[in-house]
Amino acid sequence: MLNLILISTAFIIFGYSSFAMIMVRAKANPTLNNSDPDNAFSFVSYLGREQYTSEPLLSGPTFDAQVVDAEATYTYRKDSDKYTKVENGMNYKYDKTMLFPRVYSSRDQNHIDYYRDYLKIPEGQSPTFGDNLKFFFSYQIGHMYGRYFLWNFAGRQNDQQGQGSFTEGNWISGAKPVDQMHVGGQNAIPDSLKTDPSNNKYYFLPLIIGLIGAFWHFGKRQRDAGIVGLLFFFTGLAIVLYLNQSPLQPRERDYAYAGSFYAFAIWIGLGYLPLRIT
């Protein structure tokens, strides 16, 4: 156990040591030097991505909440011979909050309009916790993770960014009845889409083989399968929980979940074993 603890600690330190590159680079004063993280406070700010807005996780406002109070936050700036306390933002208090907020973004009117249209919330009505959960499961998990997952293991409609329409960026499988129910229009697909290199159909085969591999793995080596399962969860759904993405992202975010796709690919490889044995 002590050996395992020491090895684990060494790997954690080894992994985090890569962040030293940031300060070494900043000290070299390159032309592009965002935030100039050459001291402890600017370095922490850089790692904490304080230049971007933070998303609420456990508790936060609804998209129609109004600010009722504000409190300044502070950090320190390195001057020539000392650190100086400076204001670096505000903590706001709102009149409407909820636990586990998923419909929170009011920084763009397009976000508010999207929430209302997606959840069918009338103008002037506040979202309920049920609306909040619906957006979490349907949009954040379904559209912004499940869709990317199935791109890799079922098939992909095209390489256009998808914001919820039936003709852009959806997953497809090649199984016509399934695709007809999912996106429709399978009897009137234009030749331009059929010959598009980004139109890929895997007929669910990678998904099915991966599921076979996962069940076989848990049946044969539960402890090892649990490790792969944790990798799959923490690089997939856990990131969905943490990012708490607002709608209308400027680009597709599939790259954020690549680790979970790699983990599932392990099960695809293992899925060959029970198929070979039978």
Side-chain angles (χ1 to χ4, degrees):
M1 180 59 69
L2 178 60
N3 179 68
L4 179 61
I5 292 172
L6 291 174
I7 291 175
S8 300
T9 303
F11 271 103
I12 291 171
I13 294 173
F14 182 72
Y16 275 103
S17 68
S18 63
F19 288 121
M21 179 273 297
I22 296 170
M23 297 194 74
V24 171
R25 182 181 182 279
K27 284 293 185 181
N29 292 318
T31 303
L32 182 61
N33 193 14
N34 292 340
S35 303
D36 190 18
D38 63 347
N39 63 79
F41 289 100
S42 61
F43 181 59
V44 170
S45 174
Y46 181 90
L47 293 181
R49 295 167 57 85
E50 292 179 6
Q51 68 269 38
Y52 302 103
T53 56
S54 59
E55 319 298 3
L57 294 179
L58 297 180
S59 178
T62 60
F63 64 79
D64 62 340
Q66 300 297 317
V67 176
V68 294
D69 195 9
E71 181 181 347
T73 59
Y74 297 90
T75 186
Y76 288 86
R77 179 187 66 222
K78 184 180 180 183
D79 292 333
S80 58
D81 59 346
K82 64 178 181 179
Y83 285 101
T84 304
K85 188 177 182 179
V86 294
E87 185 176 321
N88 73 331
M90 303 290 289
N91 278 332
Y92 297 102
K93 293 183 179 179
Y94 299 89
D95 61 347
K96 298 177 183 177
T97 60
M98 67 169 55
L99 294 175
F100 191 63
R102 299 283 128 174
V103 287
Y104 62 90
S105 177
S106 59
R107 59 178 176 264
D108 189 326
Q109 181 61 41
N110 290 329
H111 290 182
I112 297 175
D113 294 340
Y114 192 93
Y115 287 133
R116 291 197 180 280
D117 181 65
Y118 191 89
L119 298 169
K120 304 296 186 291
I121 302 174
E123 191 70 33
Q125 182 176 315
S126 296
T128 66
F129 191 67
D131 293 326
N132 186 64
L133 291 181
K134 179 181 177 182
F135 189 79
F136 170 62
F137 286 108
S138 178
Y139 183 84
Q140 292 186 333
I141 291 182
H143 186 73
M144 296 300 287
Y145 176 74
R147 181 170 60 103
Y148 299 147
F149 181 81
L150 291 173
W151 275 2
N152 294 273
F153 307 114
R156 182 171 180 175
Q157 185 182 39
N158 51 48
D159 61 358
Q160 300 177 42
Q161 183 175 359
Q163 299 289 6
S165 72
F166 289 114
T167 60
E168 297 174 333
N170 296 291
W171 66 267
I172 56 174
S173 64
K176 203 168 184 178
V178 176
D179 295 340
Q180 180 68 31
M181 288 189 296
H182 176 50
V183 295
Q186 298 305 297
N187 297 320
I189 296 177
D191 292 337
S192 59
L193 182 58
K194 293 179 181 179
T195 58
D196 188 336
S198 63
N199 180 253
N200 299 305
K201 302 180 181 74
Y202 307 140
Y203 301 94
F204 292 113
L205 291 176
L207 178 66
I208 293 170
I209 296 172
L211 291 175
I212 291 172
F215 282 115
W216 182 86
H217 200 193
F218 275 99
K220 294 291 184 179
R221 297 288 295 271
Q222 191 171 26
R223 181 177 177 182
D224 293 349
I227 293 172
V228 178
L230 286 174
L231 176 64
F232 178 76
F233 173 77
F234 280 109
T235 55
L237 291 179
I239 293 178
V240 174
L241 290 167
Y242 180 74
L243 290 180
N244 194 6
Q245 290 177 339
S246 56
L248 301 175
Q249 291 290 312
R251 66 188 65 86
E252 297 286 16
R253 303 297 190 181
D254 52 309
Y255 55 85
Y257 312 108
S260 69
F261 307 152
Y262 296 153
F264 193 79
I266 294 173
W267 284 327
I268 291 178
L270 293 175
Y272 167 74
L273 294 174
L275 294 176
R276 178 180 60 85
I277 291 171
T278 55

